[in-house]
Amino acid sequence: MLIVMNQDATSQQIDAVTAAVAALGLRAEPIPGSSRTAIGVLGNQGYVDDATIRNLPGVRETLHVSKPYKLVSRDFHPASTQVRVGPVIIGDGQPPVMMAGPCSIESEAQMLASARIVRDAGATILRGGAFKPRTGPHSFQGLGVEGLKLLRQAGDAVGLPVVTEVMRIGQLEDVCRYADLLQIGARNMQNFDLLKEVGRLRVPVLLKRGMSATIEEFLAAAEYIVAEGNDQLILCERGIRTFETATRNTLDLSVVPLVRQLSHLPIIVDPSHATGRRPLVPVMAQAALVCGAHGLMVEVHHDPAHALCDGAQSLDGPQFARLMGQLAQLTAFLRDQRAAETGAAC
Amino acid sequence: MLIVMNQDATSQQIDAVTAAVAALGLRAEPIPGSSRTAIGVLGNQGYVDDATIRNLPGVRETLHVSKPYKLVSRDFHPASTQVRVGPVIIGDGQPPVMMAGPCSIESEAQMLASARIVRDAGATILRGGAFKPRTGPHSFQGLGVEGLKLLRQAGDAVGLPVVTEVMRIGQLEDVCRYADLLQIGARNMQNFDLLKEVGRLRVPVLLKRGMSATIEEFLAAAEYIVAEGNDQLILCERGIRTFETATRNTLDLSVVPLVRQLSHLPIIVDPSHATGRRPLVPVMAQAALVCGAHGLMVEVHHDPAHALCDGAQSLDGPQFARLMGQLAQLTAFLRDQRAAETGAAC
Amino acid sequence: MLIVMNQDATSQQIDAVTAAVAALGLRAEPIPGSSRTAIGVLGNQGYVDDATIRNLPGVRETLHVSKPYKLVSRDFHPASTQVRVGPVIIGDGQPPVMMAGPCSIESEAQMLASARIVRDAGATILRGGAFKPRTGPHSFQGLGVEGLKLLRQAGDAVGLPVVTEVMRIGQLEDVCRYADLLQIGARNMQNFDLLKEVGRLRVPVLLKRGMSATIEEFLAAAEYIVAEGNDQLILCERGIRTFETATRNTLDLSVVPLVRQLSHLPIIVDPSHATGRRPLVPVMAQAALVCGAHGLMVEVHHDPAHALCDGAQSLDGPQFARLMGQLAQLTAFLRDQRAAETGAAC
Amino acid sequence: MLIVMNQDATSQQIDAVTAAVAALGLRAEPIPGSSRTAIGVLGNQGYVDDATIRNLPGVRETLHVSKPYKLVSRDFHPASTQVRVGPVIIGDGQPPVMMAGPCSIESEAQMLASARIVRDAGATILRGGAFKPRTGPHSFQGLGVEGLKLLRQAGDAVGLPVVTEVMRIGQLEDVCRYADLLQIGARNMQNFDLLKEVGRLRVPVLLKRGMSATIEEFLAAAEYIVAEGNDQLILCERGIRTFETATRNTLDLSVVPLVRQLSHLPIIVDPSHATGRRPLVPVMAQAALVCGAHGLMVEVHHDPAHALCDGAQSLDGPQFARLMGQLAQLTAFLRDQRAAETGAAC
């Protein structure tokens, strides 16, 4: 941390800051400049909470060098982490994982029809929402535990592991009974108690970025889970909130190469929620793979025109099959391109 | 709802949309224009979920007239709601409520010292955090139930009701035992399960606006609580996330008159979290009252330089006492001004 | 500036950075930490352009201590600046200036009627737009030079100096002939050539904050004008762009006390453009004065229902007269309050 | 346009709105609903300015169906536009155009060295900035007309047309003398006078999206140019301003397929300014092509460590050559993929 003093800071003020740093068990190193003094803080092993310093007389601002996360950073853990969901492995060196299925679980027939479409097109994880976070209480809230059973049943019928969202700690037991991968939704990215609880489980977790979370906050939220002992964690970019309203959210694809650089955890992309517009989903899905995403989560419904939720962003069977064909070609292309570059580099 | 068709929409497409509207039990009224057709939807009692319509062939967009909330709106319930917290009444016609105290409960001595400052200056509700939402897991997380006891003890010692944040459903029983007013923090504004649970209680609730929540989403979150039967609900603006980093958040004061117009619920303002800078707190607190806020929540610590959390935005005793003096004068001024206007209007 | 190195930075990399700093004529001071090295940069008189350093091998990030502005800062120029517009003085120690008038100049009759309303209610500067920045080319673009003449004529008729927006360098001669105060609009805040040109004039300038400008960028834009020799400059907050769409922009009132602290220039507030909603204008205007604004700019039209531009946010005569009465009372209250505090502090 | 009335709107208020619509030469069609009345507006040929309606008594809000642009829309002009810059054609059916070169023109040697790198790697348009928009006045502002000559000279030496930014109307003559393509920068996207002037020229234009411009505003800005008669216009996405600070801006790639759908104009992407980080440029460049961009603008410098501007986001020669190789492979892949799909569709 660097503490920047006011131009007219007195030597008494500088001494008081130095003492406050020492009180934290750290060392202060004043750096006199031509117009003002800065004070370097040394000896910390990680992020320094500057609450006792930021407001001392004479302090203009404090600049943080360390980040509020450590265990999820590549600095601390250079090797890439792979996450296993049933027979599927997600991470570096693996083909991109495809998670697909309806936004909401609506009925046995709908879930089974959608699951077949998803499996037949080549996806390897089935998604479906039983507990739905909806802006207002008068919208369809999901089938709950009944939905979890239908999801499991459909997954078993087509031979795919399943992922579903958990919204509260009290649902964890039920969700763990039926699901192979637990999703923490964007609205719960900073539901820290829920993060700690899933960190104590030995079940893989998919953590979606909050709609106004910085990358630093996203990784700090992941740190909550890993700090409790669960490193089977996949990150997911799903669009952020900006002033633009033409798309449901703004898909921030540059987060993918950035997270790959900063963290050892795999990261996937959800182009369906990000854009909220079906015609944009296939093109943004392909762009995500080019950016290095370890997989995708896509909404697929056997009959989007009658979906109870998010029909406007769901692909139907033929659209999804076509996308899967495109993604297979693109994956092969990217693999060859990277192999050629690695070969050329030898 | 208004459904806007593409310029080249066919009459078959228009018929299909009309049929889809009828399938929802509503009436469709095509409005042919010079270049395109729009279709009005009539007969709905509230917000229409457009999932089955938005993606039909030929539909360009759907425009919502109704809002995803109803019970909290002044349209539905014109009379202003008053909320009672122990002996304190919050709402129209009442003097602005002052909630104050430390960000975190740290110790018996700190809590008691801060409580005395708060009470002596004239505040009527004591705040203190026992469960703290922190960006990273390596920061101080609060004293938990032990903190709740210290808060209650300090409140009893100075004769003030107390407010504290609840972060998860599992904490509700404990928090209800010790607190008079339950706070739902900004990060939990869309923790819908928690909203529903507090909606089932008969305890007053303070709901903070999410850091990237629109006013519509804020009121829809409030609707979750009121829809379960609990109308003892106070809203709280605490700053939103924008591109500006000079302040911790951007305090959106225009939300105060807007919410007063749209809803019958009282709304207060938290200038401490909004600005994150102590020198801005008093001036923004006064501006909030001018905007019509029904009260304020302010961070006060007997010794901010040694606070474990948010010291940089906390007022100390003399600063808070001075602010309370200013607010008392301002409140008297505003009351006289409004009385004169009402008199003049007669 | 502080240069933060990667954890695994080599001593060669550190040496290269030290050399690059020296090449800028500055001194580098390495600060070895427990896990990584930081390098302090000393000897600079102001902002350091880090382009040659930021991308050297081993550099993680650079943290700026100095700001991209100097002349407008209170650090450099502690005494508050007063700006004179005809007989009106704007700045510390002066009553808040009221600039008011229609968004667009539409006709001689409209301009004169609006000017009388404005003058009769007690405003001291008349506003009116002759050159109008409109989102699309098919909207009314203003009367141009003909409008300037009508504005001048109306100002002379009621005895008030006038302010109007200048959009391009080629308009400066005309605008200077007719106006007493030049307005640079939000869309031109970073039209640097225009800023430089008005900086070379000896005419007072009103600079509006860009709709997505940080305070730092706002002050750096002001620096362009002052650096050319013109310190007769008033800043104006007019709302920023955020995700919220219930108001036209989000009025960022905390910028007022912040700018007063960081800069010696006066700052006023435009609640009309900020909110875009007439019922919010009076309350936000009053809040701005409480925040310390040196004045206000308010849209007033003698017949808003027939305004060619921004009718929805314009006050009519009685509404404006009522607001002026409220502001007079509030100004007296604030003056007394501050006097009492200053007295008490003696 | 749809006008939504308050629930308690009187029939007199509805009549007054109907009359105001008629006064605009349009037809009003009241649509009575179960709880409130809406009024459809018919007969307009384009965007309706609602200034005289939005604020009538009883009006809750107005919803726009038409957009503030027409000539640039595909609705109005279905065939894709191609833009010709010297021998290069940009648009549908053409290989993606590569514009590359240094941020700033610094010297003859630098410009020539960078131009050779750019040409040798296969780019077809050379970029270089002579007039530089910089946040503060104390940063390097560009070489001006001298720079233009160096750019032209370098372009001629390597046989490439050149693009450069024009910041003010007074520079147009000089810039047109030396450049083949005029760039309007993000800060000038709503400098409407400049837009109109370049609209009157017969020179191709590159219009960058403003950093907080919605897609609707972006297309409305383009409309200013096309409305003056110049349809040789290329749009350019270069990142938008959001709360995220880990990247310089947030690259909004979904704007590419959206603009392709809404408009007939070509659109390219600038990944250098969008990310501000060299390691992200190649990957985001490739993602842009997958999204359907008609080309790219990339910063290339023969010696980024000594660049006077934006060195941290510039590629050097080997990095750019490698990127061009990747892009060539990707372009071939995408062409084959599209050809196969078109074939399969027959």
Side-chain angles (χ1 to χ4, degrees):
Chain A
M1 190 167 67
L2 186 77
I3 303 164
V4 183
M5 303 299 293
N6 286 332
Q7 271 195 329
D8 56 1
T10 64
S11 57
Q12 283 85 340
Q13 289 173 338
I14 293 171
D15 291 349
V17 170
T18 304
V21 171
L24 294 172
L26 303 172
R27 191 155 60 84
E29 183 81 38
I31 315 168
S34 59
S35 64
R36 65 175 86 241
T37 292
I39 299 172
V41 175
L42 310 175
N44 53 305
Q45 295 301 324
Y47 190 75
V48 180
D49 194 329
D50 65 359
T52 61
I53 293 165
R54 211 174 353 144
N55 55 348
L56 289 177
V59 172
R60 200 179 70 163
E61 60 181 323
T62 58
L63 301 173
H64 287 279
V65 173
S66 300
K67 300 297 183 190
Y69 55 84
K70 177 180 175 185
L71 303 174
V72 302
S73 75
R74 219 176 253 287
D75 246 16
F76 177 82
H77 181 301
S80 295
T81 288
Q82 291 192 332
V83 176
R84 183 179 287 272
V85 179
V88 184
I89 303 177
I90 297 118
D92 276 6
Q94 299 294 324
V97 64
M98 286 299 299
M99 309 185 188
C103 174
S104 288
I105 301 158
E106 299 165 13
S107 70
E108 185 176 347
Q110 168 252 14
M111 200 57 230
L112 196 60
S114 298
R116 284 192 181 126
I117 285 172
V118 161
R119 191 261 328 263
D120 291 351
T124 52
I125 298 183
L126 177 65
R127 66 152 284 162
F131 302 105
K132 300 302 305 172
R134 304 302 297 271
T135 300
H138 310 307
S139 297
F140 175 60
Q141 307 274 319
L143 294 183
V145 176
E146 191 49 39
L148 291 177
K149 291 179 189 168
L150 297 178
L151 175 65
R152 176 80 270 162
Q153 199 177 311
D156 289 346
V158 299
L160 294 183
V162 301
V163 55
T164 200
E165 178 168 354
V166 59
M167 287 173 63
R168 57 187 270 191
I169 294 171
Q171 293 163 349
L172 274 173
E173 199 178 318
D174 280 329
V175 173
C176 286
R177 179 174 309 130
Y178 296 108
D180 302 287
L181 173 63
L182 305 186
Q183 177 182 322
I184 308 285
R187 288 171 187 76
N188 278 317
M189 192 204 83
Q190 292 195 319
N191 183 337
F192 300 119
D193 283 301
L194 182 58
L195 300 181
K196 287 179 193 170
E197 287 294 333
V198 301
R200 287 176 200 128
L201 301 175
R202 290 300 161 267
V203 179
V205 177
L206 178 72
L207 178 67
K208 289 195 148 187
R209 182 183 185 187
M211 74 175 74
S212 64
T214 62
I215 294 183
E216 186 167 311
E217 290 168 337
F218 190 18
L219 292 176
E223 183 89 356
Y224 267 95
I225 295 171
V226 176
E228 296 291 334
N230 188 353
D231 77 340
Q232 289 292 290
L233 178 58
I234 305 163
L235 303 173
C236 182
E237 158 68 22
R238 44 75 75 202
I240 56 174
R241 176 156 281 184
T242 70
F243 60 83
E244 178 63 74
T245 55
T247 43
R248 184 167 172 177
N249 297 282
T250 297
L251 184 59
D252 179 13
L253 280 181
S254 46
V255 81
V256 175
L258 254 183
V259 162
R260 288 182 65 118
Q261 178 185 323
L262 295 171
S263 175
H264 53 89
L265 297 173
I267 178 165
I268 70 169
V269 170
D270 175 347
S272 305
H273 281 90
T275 63
R277 288 170 166 253
R278 187 190 302 150
L280 300 187
V281 170
V283 75
M284 300 316 290
Q286 292 175 78
L289 288 199
V290 170
C291 289
H294 294 99
L296 295 165
M297 175 172 254
V298 175
E299 289 191 356
V300 174
H301 194 284
H302 74 293
D303 182 10
H306 294 96
L308 290 182
C309 169
D310 286 348
Q313 68 199 31
S314 297
L315 303 182
D316 65 17
Q319 289 161 342
F320 184 61
R322 181 165 171 251
L323 171 60
M324 287 298 285
Q326 294 169 326
L327 294 174
Q329 291 166 357
L330 183 62
T331 300
F333 167 77
L334 292 171
R335 192 184 50 222
D336 292 351
Q337 192 186 49
R338 283 162 197 165
E341 287 183 1
T342 312
C346 290
Chain B
M1 191 168 65
L2 186 76
I3 303 163
V4 183
M5 303 299 293
N6 287 331
Q7 270 195 331
D8 56 1
T10 63
S11 56
Q12 283 85 342
Q13 290 173 338
I14 293 171
D15 292 348
V17 170
T18 303
V21 171
L24 294 172
L26 303 173
R27 191 155 60 86
E29 183 83 36
I31 315 169
S34 59
S35 63
R36 66 174 84 240
T37 292
I39 299 172
V41 175
L42 309 176
N44 51 306
Q45 294 302 324
Y47 190 76
V48 178
D49 194 328
D50 65 359
T52 60
I53 293 165
R54 215 179 344 150
N55 56 348
L56 288 177
V59 172
R60 200 178 74 164
E61 60 181 325
T62 58
L63 302 173
H64 288 278
V65 173
S66 301
K67 303 295 183 190
Y69 55 84
K70 177 180 176 186
L71 303 174
V72 302
S73 74
R74 218 176 255 285
D75 246 15
F76 177 81
H77 181 302
S80 296
T81 289
Q82 292 192 331
V83 176
R84 183 180 288 272
V85 179
V88 184
I89 302 176
I90 297 117
D92 275 6
Q94 299 293 325
V97 64
M98 287 299 300
M99 308 186 189
C103 175
S104 287
I105 301 158
E106 299 166 11
S107 70
E108 186 176 345
Q110 169 252 12
M111 200 56 231
L112 197 60
S114 298
R116 283 192 182 126
I117 286 172
V118 161
R119 191 262 328 263
D120 291 351
T124 50
I125 298 184
L126 176 66
R127 64 152 285 160
F131 303 103
K132 300 301 307 173
R134 303 302 298 270
T135 300
H138 309 308
S139 297
F140 175 61
Q141 308 274 317
L143 293 184
V145 176
E146 193 49 40
L148 292 177
K149 292 178 188 168
L150 297 177
L151 174 64
R152 176 80 270 163
Q153 199 177 311
D156 289 347
V158 300
L160 294 183
V162 300
V163 54
T164 199
E165 179 168 353
V166 58
M167 287 173 63
R168 56 187 271 190
I169 293 169
Q171 293 163 350
L172 274 173
E173 200 178 319
D174 280 328
V175 173
C176 286
R177 180 173 310 129
Y178 296 109
D180 303 289
L181 175 62
L182 304 186
Q183 176 181 324
I184 308 286
R187 289 171 186 77
N188 277 318
M189 191 203 83
Q190 291 194 320
N191 183 336
F192 300 118
D193 283 301
L194 182 57
L195 300 181
K196 287 179 193 168
E197 287 294 334
V198 301
R200 287 177 200 126
L201 300 176
R202 288 303 161 265
V203 179
V205 177
L206 177 72
L207 178 67
K208 288 193 150 188
R209 182 182 183 187
M211 73 174 74
S212 64
T214 62
I215 293 182
E216 187 167 314
E217 291 168 338
F218 190 18
L219 292 176
E223 182 88 357
Y224 267 95
I225 295 171
V226 176
E228 296 291 334
N230 188 353
D231 76 341
Q232 288 292 290
L233 179 57
I234 305 164
L235 304 173
C236 181
E237 158 67 22
R238 44 75 74 200
I240 56 173
R241 175 155 282 184
T242 70
F243 60 84
E244 178 60 74
T245 57
T247 42
R248 183 168 174 177
N249 296 284
T250 297
L251 183 59
D252 179 13
L253 280 181
S254 45
V255 80
V256 176
L258 255 183
V259 163
R260 287 181 66 117
Q261 179 185 321
L262 295 171
S263 175
H264 54 87
L265 296 172
I267 178 164
I268 69 169
V269 169
D270 174 347
S272 306
H273 281 90
T275 63
R277 289 169 166 255
R278 187 189 303 149
L280 300 187
V281 171
V283 76
M284 300 315 289
Q286 292 175 78
L289 288 199
V290 170
C291 288
H294 295 98
L296 296 164
M297 175 172 254
V298 175
E299 290 192 355
V300 174
H301 195 284
H302 73 294
D303 182 10
H306 294 96
L308 290 182
C309 169
D310 287 348
Q313 69 200 30
S314 297
L315 303 182
D316 65 16
Q319 289 161 342
F320 184 62
R322 181 164 172 253
L323 171 59
M324 288 297 287
Q326 293 169 326
L327 293 174
Q329 291 166 356
L330 183 61
T331 300
F333 167 77
L334 293 172
R335 193 186 48 222
D336 292 351
Q337 192 186 51
R338 284 164 197 163
E341 287 183 1
T342 310
C346 290
Chain C
M1 191 168 64
L2 186 77
I3 304 163
V4 183
M5 303 298 293
N6 286 331
Q7 271 196 331
D8 57 0
T10 63
S11 56
Q12 283 85 338
Q13 290 173 337
I14 293 171
D15 291 349
V17 170
T18 303
V21 171
L24 293 172
L26 303 172
R27 191 155 60 85
E29 183 82 38
I31 315 167
S34 58
S35 64
R36 65 175 85 241
T37 292
I39 299 172
V41 175
L42 310 176
N44 52 306
Q45 294 302 324
Y47 190 76
V48 180
D49 194 328
D50 65 359
T52 60
I53 292 165
R54 214 178 347 150
N55 56 348
L56 289 176
V59 172
R60 200 178 72 163
E61 60 181 326
T62 59
L63 301 173
H64 288 279
V65 173
S66 300
K67 301 296 182 190
Y69 55 84
K70 177 180 175 185
L71 303 174
V72 303
S73 75
R74 218 176 255 286
D75 246 15
F76 177 81
H77 182 301
S80 295
T81 288
Q82 290 192 333
V83 176
R84 183 179 287 272
V85 178
V88 184
I89 303 177
I90 296 117
D92 275 6
Q94 300 293 325
V97 65
M98 286 300 300
M99 309 186 187
C103 174
S104 289
I105 301 158
E106 298 166 13
S107 70
E108 186 176 346
Q110 169 252 11
M111 200 58 229
L112 198 59
S114 298
R116 284 191 182 128
I117 285 172
V118 161
R119 191 260 329 261
D120 290 351
T124 52
I125 298 184
L126 177 66
R127 64 153 285 160
F131 302 105
K132 300 302 306 171
R134 304 301 298 270
T135 300
H138 309 307
S139 297
F140 175 60
Q141 307 275 316
L143 294 183
V145 175
E146 192 49 40
L148 292 176
K149 292 178 188 168
L150 296 178
L151 175 65
R152 176 80 271 163
Q153 199 178 310
D156 289 347
V158 300
L160 294 183
V162 300
V163 55
T164 199
E165 178 167 353
V166 58
M167 286 173 65
R168 55 187 272 189
I169 292 170
Q171 293 163 350
L172 274 173
E173 201 178 316
D174 279 329
V175 173
C176 286
R177 179 173 311 129
Y178 296 108
D180 303 287
L181 174 62
L182 304 186
Q183 176 180 323
I184 307 286
R187 288 171 187 75
N188 278 317
M189 191 203 83
Q190 292 195 319
N191 184 336
F192 300 119
D193 284 301
L194 182 58
L195 300 181
K196 287 179 194 169
E197 286 294 334
V198 302
R200 287 177 200 126
L201 301 174
R202 290 302 161 265
V203 179
V205 178
L206 177 72
L207 177 67
K208 289 195 148 187
R209 181 182 186 187
M211 75 176 73
S212 65
T214 62
I215 293 182
E216 186 167 311
E217 290 168 338
F218 190 19
L219 292 175
E223 183 88 356
Y224 267 94
I225 295 171
V226 176
E228 295 290 335
N230 189 353
D231 76 341
Q232 289 292 290
L233 178 57
I234 305 164
L235 304 173
C236 182
E237 158 68 21
R238 44 74 75 203
I240 57 174
R241 176 156 282 184
T242 70
F243 60 83
E244 177 63 73
T245 56
T247 43
R248 185 167 171 177
N249 296 282
T250 297
L251 182 59
D252 179 13
L253 280 181
S254 46
V255 81
V256 176
L258 254 182
V259 162
R260 287 182 65 118
Q261 177 185 325
L262 295 171
S263 175
H264 53 88
L265 297 173
I267 178 164
I268 70 169
V269 169
D270 175 347
S272 305
H273 281 90
T275 62
R277 287 169 167 254
R278 186 189 303 150
L280 299 187
V281 170
V283 76
M284 300 316 289
Q286 293 176 76
L289 289 199
V290 169
C291 288
H294 295 99
L296 296 165
M297 175 172 255
V298 175
E299 290 192 355
V300 174
H301 194 285
H302 73 293
D303 181 10
H306 294 96
L308 290 182
C309 169
D310 286 348
Q313 68 200 31
S314 298
L315 302 183
D316 65 17
Q319 289 161 342
F320 183 61
R322 183 166 170 249
L323 171 60
M324 288 297 285
Q326 293 170 326
L327 293 174
Q329 292 166 356
L330 183 61
T331 299
F333 167 76
L334 292 171
R335 193 185 49 223
D336 293 349
Q337 191 186 51
R338 282 162 198 165
E341 287 183 2
T342 311
C346 290
Chain D
M1 192 167 66
L2 187 76
I3 302 162
V4 182
M5 303 300 292
N6 286 331
Q7 270 195 331
D8 56 1
T10 63
S11 56
Q12 282 86 340
Q13 290 174 336
I14 293 171
D15 291 348
V17 170
T18 303
V21 171
L24 294 171
L26 303 172
R27 192 155 60 84
E29 182 82 38
I31 315 168
S34 58
S35 63
R36 65 176 85 240
T37 292
I39 299 172
V41 175
L42 308 175
N44 52 307
Q45 294 302 323
Y47 190 76
V48 179
D49 195 328
D50 64 359
T52 59
I53 293 164
R54 214 177 346 149
N55 55 349
L56 288 176
V59 172
R60 200 179 72 164
E61 61 181 325
T62 59
L63 301 173
H64 287 278
V65 173
S66 300
K67 302 295 183 191
Y69 55 84
K70 176 180 176 185
L71 303 174
V72 302
S73 74
R74 218 178 256 285
D75 245 16
F76 177 81
H77 181 301
S80 296
T81 289
Q82 291 192 332
V83 176
R84 182 178 289 271
V85 179
V88 184
I89 302 176
I90 296 116
D92 274 6
Q94 300 293 325
V97 64
M98 287 299 301
M99 310 185 186
C103 174
S104 287
I105 301 158
E106 299 165 12
S107 70
E108 186 176 348
Q110 169 252 13
M111 200 57 229
L112 198 59
S114 298
R116 284 192 182 125
I117 284 172
V118 161
R119 192 262 327 264
D120 291 351
T124 52
I125 298 183
L126 177 65
R127 64 153 284 160
F131 303 104
K132 300 301 306 171
R134 303 302 297 271
T135 300
H138 309 307
S139 298
F140 175 61
Q141 307 275 318
L143 293 183
V145 176
E146 193 48 42
L148 291 176
K149 292 179 188 167
L150 297 177
L151 174 66
R152 176 80 271 161
Q153 199 177 309
D156 288 347
V158 300
L160 294 183
V162 301
V163 55
T164 199
E165 178 168 352
V166 58
M167 285 173 65
R168 56 187 270 190
I169 292 169
Q171 293 164 349
L172 273 173
E173 201 177 317
D174 280 328
V175 172
C176 285
R177 181 173 309 128
Y178 296 109
D180 303 288
L181 175 62
L182 305 185
Q183 177 181 322
I184 308 285
R187 288 171 187 77
N188 278 317
M189 191 201 84
Q190 292 194 319
N191 183 336
F192 299 118
D193 284 301
L194 183 57
L195 301 181
K196 287 179 193 168
E197 286 294 334
V198 302
R200 288 177 199 126
L201 301 174
R202 290 301 161 265
V203 180
V205 177
L206 177 72
L207 177 67
K208 289 194 150 188
R209 182 183 183 186
M211 73 176 72
S212 64
T214 61
I215 294 182
E216 187 168 311
E217 290 168 338
F218 190 19
L219 292 176
E223 182 89 357
Y224 267 95
I225 295 172
V226 175
E228 295 291 335
N230 188 353
D231 77 340
Q232 289 292 289
L233 178 57
I234 305 164
L235 304 173
C236 182
E237 158 68 21
R238 43 75 75 201
I240 57 173
R241 175 155 282 183
T242 69
F243 61 83
E244 178 60 75
T245 56
T247 44
R248 184 168 172 176
N249 296 283
T250 297
L251 184 59
D252 178 14
L253 280 180
S254 46
V255 81
V256 176
L258 254 183
V259 162
R260 288 182 66 117
Q261 178 186 322
L262 295 172
S263 174
H264 53 89
L265 297 173
I267 178 165
I268 70 169
V269 170
D270 175 347
S272 305
H273 281 90
T275 63
R277 289 169 165 254
R278 188 189 302 148
L280 300 187
V281 170
V283 75
M284 299 316 288
Q286 293 175 76
L289 288 199
V290 170
C291 289
H294 295 99
L296 296 164
M297 174 171 257
V298 176
E299 290 192 355
V300 174
H301 195 284
H302 74 294
D303 182 10
H306 294 96
L308 290 182
C309 168
D310 286 348
Q313 69 199 32
S314 297
L315 303 183
D316 65 17
Q319 289 161 343
F320 184 61
R322 181 165 172 252
L323 171 60
M324 288 297 286
Q326 293 170 326
L327 294 173
Q329 291 166 357
L330 183 61
T331 300
F333 166 77
L334 292 171
R335 193 184 49 222
D336 292 352
Q337 191 185 50
R338 283 163 196 164
E341 287 183 1
T342 312
C346 292

